[in-house]
Amino acid sequence: MTLLGSSGGGPRHFGTYLALAMILITLPVIGLIAVLDYQQVEAELIAGNDLLREQTEKSVVQSLRLVDAGLGLLDATLDRRMQEGFGPVLAEYERAGRDPGAMDLSRVQKEIGGEMDIYVINASGVIEYTTYSPDLGLDFRQIPYFYDRITALRLGDAFETDRVVTEPAGGVLRKYAYMPSPDHRYLFELGLVCSVADPDRHDPRYQALKEDLMQLNPALAGIRIFDCYGRVINVTDSEDPVGPAALNPVALEVFERKEGRTLADPAAGTITRYIFVDLSDPRYPSDTSRVVELTYTTAPLDARLAEMRFGHAFVVLLSSLIACCIAVPVSRRITRPVREIVDDVNQIARGDLDHRIRISTGTEFARLESSIGAMVDSLKENIRRLRESEETSRQYSTLLEDQVRERTADLEESNRAAALFLDIMVHDINNANTIAIGYTRLLIETLEGERREMAEKMLSRLDQSSGIIGCVATLRKVRESGEALTRVDLDRVIRTQAADHPTIRYEGRPATVLADGLIAEVFANLIGNAVKFGGPGVEVAIRVEERGEEIVVSVEDTGPGIPDAVKSGAFRRFGKGEGSLAGAGLGLYICRMLVERYGGRIWVEDRVEGRPDLGAAIRFTLRKVPEE
């Protein structure tokens, strides 16, 4: 059995489609199983990697706490020695009359052994005098928590020791101690250079810790430990340990915020973890807390995941090949009865409607043969009815075409008659109005008093009648005009229409728009309305503005204006104004028809916004013709 392809190309075997369907069903199932299994394995690998990383970080914290506890015990052995060193310092302070500037600090330093530097810190937290020149002028106010602590020591009476810390200027490891002056104006500080006393104790090595952690976690690529200044600890030979080049800004930020931070670099395949280890002790002024930088490489995990992806892809490919090998023979076996039915259907399709479908094994195919037989019988009956219906439709179509032609001819004749009657009516009424207007004007000149007023009213109505006839003629021109839109000199049209009204203000602006000869009717109606309804002394102004691809024309007057209730219907057919001078309502309707014919729009506004009693402004847009 064959079927035409969807693109109308060569025949396609139904067995091929069935095999493809089986493959398309099997492959997503295999792929879905592989994806779910890979996701589960991936989640387990990532979870194990995260757990190992967590254990590594806990080990680092515990190791640093143990090292710090050991150093704390050793630091206490130096306290008595440093307390004894303050005796000569206080004696020299009294000898100098409590003036630090008169103290001989170099002599006192030699007296206490030469291993300690002396610092004199004033009330502002600045080292004012010292035997160690790099720290002269150091301002502890830049370290608020430390400044608060030494201020409390200066105002107290107790001797206070500190932990071994790295000095800010030179990076040398020192043991510091503090003693206030008797008058509490200064705080004396002694700094013991620990490298002289016991360098091995104050310079702990973390190489063993690093090696142990890397054996525990193969993904660990590097370990660095920073102090409170953002410096790598044990860097004592740097020329400028507190310089920007020697500081790690991330470690400094972690120390200040006292919370960890994680940085990932996908390009390099690394993840850097900054861990804050809180080693602060309220008994000491200095904060010996540390920031540990652990750099992990994602290469081992990525390699494992890549290996898993390759393995799953191989399994999917092998399963797909097996599914294809099974789908082809199975589809041929299933479609054999269908191919037989298709051969019978093709025989019927060639015109042999009496050919019967062969019955194959299976209840479904027997039902299909019965259904096809019933369909063929129904097809025979439908063909007979269709032929009868075609003949009836042909007769009805011929009759309908004749009736349409007759009705069209009658309608065209009626339109011609209506146009003729309208021409005759407009011509005869205009002639009668012209004669009546002439006689009425003669009567006005000869009559006086009440009769003259009646004659003037009659003349007004005759003028209104002539205007209506003119509007009707214009409407007919608009509806019947087949003239194509062309370039029109808008400035010339406006000047021609304004020539009969000397009081109109128009400054003139060259503009070319897309219109036809009837555009003059727009200005004639708008100017006529403004003069007619504006009252004595009305002033009319015409303005032309360019706005992008449009020309905006405004006809403004200083008359009584148009009430808000009338504005919305001013441009509808037979939309009349108010008052005794209101017209028939065709002038603005004609303006709207013409403006819309030219592709524009027209609207009414107050000449002065919010003051309809100060006059009206009719504005409309026209399409601008670009200059060549």
Side-chain angles (χ1 to χ4, degrees):
M1 179 197 67
T2 59
L3 296 174
L4 287 179
S6 59
S7 60
R12 300 287 187 273
H13 285 281
F14 177 70
T16 302
Y17 288 110
L18 181 59
L20 289 176
M22 295 173 62
I23 293 172
L24 292 177
I25 293 173
T26 305
L27 292 185
V29 173
I30 295 174
L32 179 60
I33 294 174
V35 169
L36 293 177
D37 184 67
Y38 173 77
Q39 289 179 346
Q40 182 179 359
V41 174
E42 181 184 35
E44 292 175 356
L45 289 176
I46 293 175
N49 186 71
D50 292 342
L51 179 60
L52 184 58
R53 185 184 304 169
E54 182 180 352
Q55 292 174 350
T56 301
E57 294 172 1
K58 288 181 178 179
S59 299
V60 169
V61 174
Q62 291 174 356
S63 299
L64 289 181
R65 291 189 186 279
L66 289 174
V67 171
D68 183 72
L71 290 177
L73 294 175
L74 293 175
D75 286 345
T77 61
L78 301 175
D79 293 349
R80 180 177 181 81
R81 177 183 176 185
M82 300 196 73
Q83 186 175 9
E84 293 173 352
F86 277 108
V89 174
L90 293 176
E92 178 64 16
Y93 181 68
E94 294 293 342
R95 185 200 64 78
R98 297 189 176 184
D99 180 9
M103 294 175 64
D104 188 353
L105 298 182
S106 299
R107 181 183 61 78
V108 176
Q109 182 183 27
K110 293 178 181 179
E111 183 179 346
I112 60 178
E115 298 175 354
M116 300 184 202
D117 283 306
I118 304 171
Y119 304 84
V120 181
I121 305 173
N122 61 23
S124 299
V126 179
I127 298 179
E128 190 171 345
Y129 305 97
T130 179
T131 59
Y132 184 66
S133 57
D135 281 350
L136 184 63
L138 184 63
D139 189 355
F140 289 113
R141 287 177 297 183
Q142 299 177 359
I143 311 175
Y145 77 90
F146 188 74
Y147 172 70
D148 294 339
R149 185 63 181 270
I150 63 176
T151 299
L153 292 176
R154 179 177 57 82
L155 298 176
D157 296 315
F159 163 78
E160 184 83 22
T161 61
D162 204 346
R163 294 292 303 275
V164 173
V165 296
T166 305
E167 67 170 14
V172 178
L173 297 174
R174 290 180 180 268
K175 168 76 172 179
Y176 290 99
Y178 308 91
M179 176 71 77
S181 64
D183 53 5
H184 301 289
R185 293 169 53 209
Y186 297 95
L187 179 67
F188 296 112
E189 178 183 18
L190 294 180
L192 174 63
V193 179
C194 296
S195 58
V196 176
D198 192 353
D200 293 334
R201 180 174 64 82
H202 295 288
D203 191 16
R205 302 298 178 180
Y206 295 94
Q207 185 63 30
L209 172 63
K210 178 178 179 180
E211 293 175 355
D212 293 342
L213 290 176
M214 286 187 172
Q215 291 179 358
L216 175 65
N217 188 348
L220 186 62
I223 302 174
R224 290 197 300 174
I225 304 174
F226 299 89
D227 62 7
C228 62
Y229 299 102
R231 301 170 301 184
V232 177
I233 61 173
N234 300 327
V235 180
T236 59
D237 56 351
S238 172
E239 295 181 358
D240 187 9
V242 295
L247 301 182
N248 186 316
V250 179
L252 183 59
E253 180 183 356
V254 170
F255 190 91
E256 292 175 349
R257 296 188 176 184
K258 302 190 184 310
E259 58 182 19
R261 187 174 178 183
T262 302
L263 300 178
D265 187 354
T270 60
I271 298 175
T272 304
R273 285 273 296 152
Y274 288 89
I275 305 171
F276 175 74
V277 182
D278 188 3
L279 302 177
S280 61
D281 191 336
R283 297 175 297 172
Y284 299 102
S286 298
D287 189 351
T288 58
S289 298
R290 296 288 183 257
V291 175
V292 182
E293 178 194 73
L294 299 176
T295 302
Y296 301 95
T297 176
T298 59
L301 179 61
D302 293 340
R304 291 288 305 279
L305 293 177
E307 181 182 350
M308 294 300 301
R309 284 194 294 269
F310 177 79
H312 283 72
F314 178 77
V315 172
V316 170
L317 180 61
L318 181 61
S319 301
S320 301
L321 291 176
I322 295 174
C324 293
C325 294
I326 295 175
V328 173
V330 171
S331 65
R332 292 183 61 84
R333 174 71 178 176
I334 294 175
T335 58
R336 183 181 59 79
V338 179
R339 290 197 301 272
E340 295 177 354
I341 294 176
V342 170
D343 291 338
D344 294 336
V345 171
N346 288 335
Q347 183 69 23
I348 295 173
R350 286 193 289 269
D352 187 4
L353 299 180
D354 296 327
H355 182 77
R356 308 308 296 176
I357 302 297
R358 287 173 290 177
I359 300 178
S360 302
T361 57
T363 306
E364 291 78 6
F365 292 109
R367 292 179 180 177
L368 179 61
E369 184 275 338
S370 177
S371 299
I372 294 176
M375 180 186 67
V376 171
D377 295 337
S378 176
L379 180 61
K380 292 180 181 179
E381 180 64 20
N382 288 336
I383 290 174
R384 183 185 65 79
R385 293 180 181 178
L386 180 61
R387 289 173 180 173
E388 295 177 354
S389 176
E390 287 179 352
E391 183 62 27
T392 303
S393 299
R394 189 179 300 108
Q395 295 175 359
Y396 284 151
S397 176
T398 303
L399 178 62
L400 180 60
E401 290 176 357
D402 294 340
Q403 291 178 350
V404 169
R405 281 194 296 270
E406 292 176 1
R407 298 296 183 271
T408 302
D410 293 342
L411 182 59
E412 292 176 352
E413 182 63 26
S414 298
N415 287 337
R416 285 193 294 271
L420 176 61
F421 294 151
L422 183 60
D423 290 340
I424 294 173
M425 182 181 67
V426 170
H427 179 270
D428 292 347
I429 293 177
N430 269 336
N431 288 340
N433 281 345
T434 301
I435 296 172
I437 289 171
Y439 283 121
T440 303
R441 287 176 177 169
L442 291 175
L443 284 174
I444 292 173
E445 294 176 359
T446 59
L447 297 176
E448 295 181 356
E450 185 178 352
R451 293 183 177 182
R452 181 183 179 94
E453 293 178 0
M454 294 178 62
E456 290 175 348
K457 291 180 180 180
M458 183 171 64
L459 178 61
S460 173
R461 294 304 181 184
L462 288 172
D463 288 336
Q464 183 177 1
S465 175
S466 296
I468 294 173
I469 295 301
C471 289
V472 172
T474 303
L475 281 173
R476 184 183 173 194
K477 290 180 182 179
V478 173
R479 293 183 179 278
E480 296 181 357
S481 176
E483 183 180 356
L485 302 183
T486 184
R487 298 166 59 94
V488 174
D489 187 349
L490 184 63
D491 181 66
R492 179 181 298 178
V493 173
I494 296 175
R495 291 185 183 278
T496 301
Q497 294 300 317
D500 297 334
H501 304 277
T503 60
I504 292 179
R505 289 187 293 107
Y506 171 61
E507 297 178 357
R509 183 186 183 93
T512 304
V513 297
L514 196 64
D516 56 20
L518 293 176
I519 191 174
E521 294 293 336
V522 177
F523 290 98
N525 277 295
L526 295 181
I527 294 173
N529 282 351
V531 173
K532 178 179 178 181
F533 303 125
V538 67
E539 295 180 3
V540 181
I542 301 177
R543 292 202 312 271
V544 177
E545 303 175 54
E546 290 189 16
R547 293 183 184 173
E549 300 297 326
E550 292 183 332
I551 297 292
V552 180
V553 182
S554 301
V555 179
E556 303 176 354
D557 63 72
T558 59
I562 300 177
D564 293 337
V566 180
K567 288 177 183 176
S568 59
F571 297 99
R572 291 201 298 265
R573 186 168 55 181
F574 305 126
K576 299 182 180 181
E578 298 179 352
S580 60
L581 296 177
L586 292 175
L588 293 181
Y589 174 69
I590 293 173
C591 293
R592 192 196 77 182
M593 289 185 60
L594 288 171
V595 170
E596 291 178 351
R597 168 180 164 79
Y598 302 148
R601 56 190 181 90
I602 187 170
W603 69 96
V604 59
E605 295 179 352
D606 296 331
R607 185 178 67 88
V608 178
E609 186 177 359
R611 293 295 303 277
D613 57 312
L614 296 182
I618 306 295
R619 310 189 198 281
F620 61 93
T621 62
L622 297 171
R623 287 184 290 172
K624 182 175 66 175
V625 177
E627 297 182 1
E628 297 181 354

